[in-house]
Amino acid sequence: MTRVFFVLTICLSIAACGPRGMVSLVQGVKPEVYDAAVQRVFIASNRHLEQGSPEEALHQAFGESRDPVVSYGRIDISIPPVHQPGQIEWPGNDRPDPAQHFVALSGERYASQLAFLRDLPRPGGRPDVVLFVHGFNVNNAEAVYRLAQIAHDYETDDPVISFSWPSAGDPRGYVYDRDSVIFARDDLESLLLGLAREKRRVLIIAHSMGSQLVMETLRQISISGKGRALTSIIGVALISPDIDEDVFLRQSRRIEPFPEPFMIVVSRRDRALGLAALLTGTPSRLGSIEDPSRLAQLPIEIIDLSSIPGGDRAGHSTAFTAPEAIRLLRDLATP
């Protein structure tokens, strides 16, 4: 009991760096007046969706409770000219200002998955999309704004989709979130199969506990006889994956064909994964792997960001928040 109290206390101290993210909807704004960039984020979510207008639904109504029905939408995020790589310039207690903050300009809901998939653009005729799966202790606003920041900082032209699974958005909700990963597998599978039917090529980026969701879903697709759909996946990047190493090895052996390239981004300075290891009673998690040779038989590239300065103070989102890491990974992804 003392150990659990100790771990939760540290979790709360890490999470208490500021207020939780909220989507700030500002209508009637012309981004060009502020020299702001606009990043469109598509959303597929099995969070419970309250009734309301399309703008309200994508504004605050995606909560932490689970919904057996997936909702689809899109939202345009204005990124201010003062934006610094790796940062999300939240309004906080300030009045949202497009010249200073990330703000939402508009939102729209889709009546079906097919309508959602058919609205995904194909810039230059390219069929590629980026699918982002967030991690533990993340609310919908944080997932959407983080993806907007990643897409902007990594300079991608491909449409980006946030699969927003029902995390409690609470540092005390670790077990709830792990159960939500199991709950969300079928819906992520449905999205991946839909993208494959539309002949889209999918790059999957998963963070933290979202990596567990991705691996479980890929395994599920493979063992259910739908492995052909996995050929539409053109790459997987697991960022600070919160997965038991033994479980990951078992999952990997059942995924056929195994997506390539497959990248795991790790760091020995990841305090959040250190806490996850304490909670699960294991020496380490995959994102802070101590013996990479265990993965030698898999077609995996390991990127170690342990020496990269900056980023979030927990060292858990270095790939997204440290400018040097962003430059490094962006260069690796450039042909």
Side-chain angles (χ1 to χ4, degrees):
M1 191 69 179
T2 302
R3 174 182 168 187
V4 173
F5 176 78
F6 172 72
V7 171
L8 288 176
T9 300
I10 298 177
C11 284
L12 289 169
S13 70
I14 290 176
C17 57
R20 298 311 300 253
M22 296 178 62
V23 172
S24 300
L25 186 65
V26 181
Q27 296 178 311
V29 170
K30 295 183 178 180
E32 61 271 17
V33 172
Y34 299 92
D35 196 27
V38 177
Q39 177 63 55
R40 174 161 290 179
V41 176
F42 291 85
I43 306 168
S45 180
N46 54 0
R47 296 174 184 263
H48 181 65
L49 180 61
E50 302 291 345
Q51 296 299 316
S53 70
E55 290 79 10
E56 290 171 343
L58 293 171
H59 180 207
Q60 295 300 339
F62 277 120
E64 72 282 353
S65 59
R66 303 162 183 148
D67 196 323
V69 177
V70 181
S71 298
Y72 300 93
R74 73 182 189 197
I75 191 164
D76 289 343
I77 305 297
S78 175
I79 299 174
V82 298
H83 171 68
Q84 297 296 312
Q87 301 297 312
I88 298 175
E89 285 80 13
W90 294 100
N93 294 325
D94 302 328
R95 182 177 179 179
D97 179 357
Q100 301 291 328
H101 308 129
F102 276 58
V103 298
L105 302 178
S106 63
E108 181 178 337
R109 288 173 58 187
Y110 296 94
S112 66
Q113 184 193 82
L114 181 60
F116 170 80
L117 294 173
R118 293 284 170 86
D119 199 41
L120 293 171
R122 296 175 181 258
R126 286 166 51 86
D128 298 3
V129 299
V130 178
L131 176 61
F132 177 65
V133 184
H134 66 78
F136 161 64
N137 184 25
V138 173
N139 66 32
N140 182 63
E142 292 161 347
V144 170
Y145 275 32
R146 178 60 71 193
L147 179 52
Q149 175 257 313
I150 292 169
H152 181 271
D153 290 352
Y154 277 86
E155 302 176 358
T156 180
D157 293 326
D158 298 324
V160 296
I161 304 171
S162 171
F163 183 78
S164 185
W165 56 275
S167 165
D170 187 325
R172 299 164 298 181
Y174 191 81
V175 175
Y176 180 90
D177 280 14
R178 289 186 71 175
D179 288 343
S180 287
V181 161
I182 303 303
F183 175 85
R185 292 178 301 184
D186 291 353
D187 297 322
L188 181 56
E189 175 186 355
S190 174
L191 177 59
L192 288 171
L193 294 178
L195 288 165
R197 284 194 300 272
E198 292 298 310
K199 302 189 185 307
R200 305 305 296 246
R201 305 199 316 164
V202 187
L203 170 63
I204 300 176
I205 301 174
H207 181 230
S208 185
M209 195 179 286
S211 302
Q212 180 78 277
L213 173 54
V214 166
M215 290 300 295
E216 280 292 295
T217 303
L218 297 182
R219 176 183 182 275
Q220 178 171 301
I221 291 173
S222 181
I223 65 176
S224 64
K226 304 170 187 172
R228 184 176 179 181
L230 298 182
T231 60
S232 67
I233 298 173
I234 57 172
V236 175
L238 304 185
I239 312 295
S240 305
D242 184 5
I243 309 178
D244 180 278
E245 295 173 19
D246 294 330
V247 171
F248 176 77
L249 287 169
R250 272 294 179 96
Q251 291 167 327
S252 299
R253 293 189 184 107
R254 299 304 303 273
I255 298 173
E256 177 63 38
F258 196 81
E260 294 186 61
F262 197 109
M263 179 188 299
I264 299 178
V265 179
V266 304
S267 173
R268 295 184 301 277
R269 297 190 299 109
D270 193 324
R271 294 173 61 198
L273 288 183
L275 294 172
L278 280 173
L279 284 170
T280 56
T282 54
S284 65
R285 308 297 281 170
L286 182 64
S288 53
I289 190 168
E290 296 179 348
D291 182 12
S293 66
R294 298 192 68 199
L295 308 181
Q297 301 305 311
L298 294 171
I300 289 173
E301 181 179 6
I302 297 178
I303 306 296
D304 191 343
L305 300 182
S306 300
S307 62
I308 298 292
D312 63 305
R313 66 176 187 169
H316 192 47
S317 302
T318 303
F320 309 140
T321 59
E324 186 176 324
I326 292 171
R327 287 192 294 270
L328 171 67
L329 296 174
R330 188 173 57 205
D331 290 345
L332 287 175
T334 302

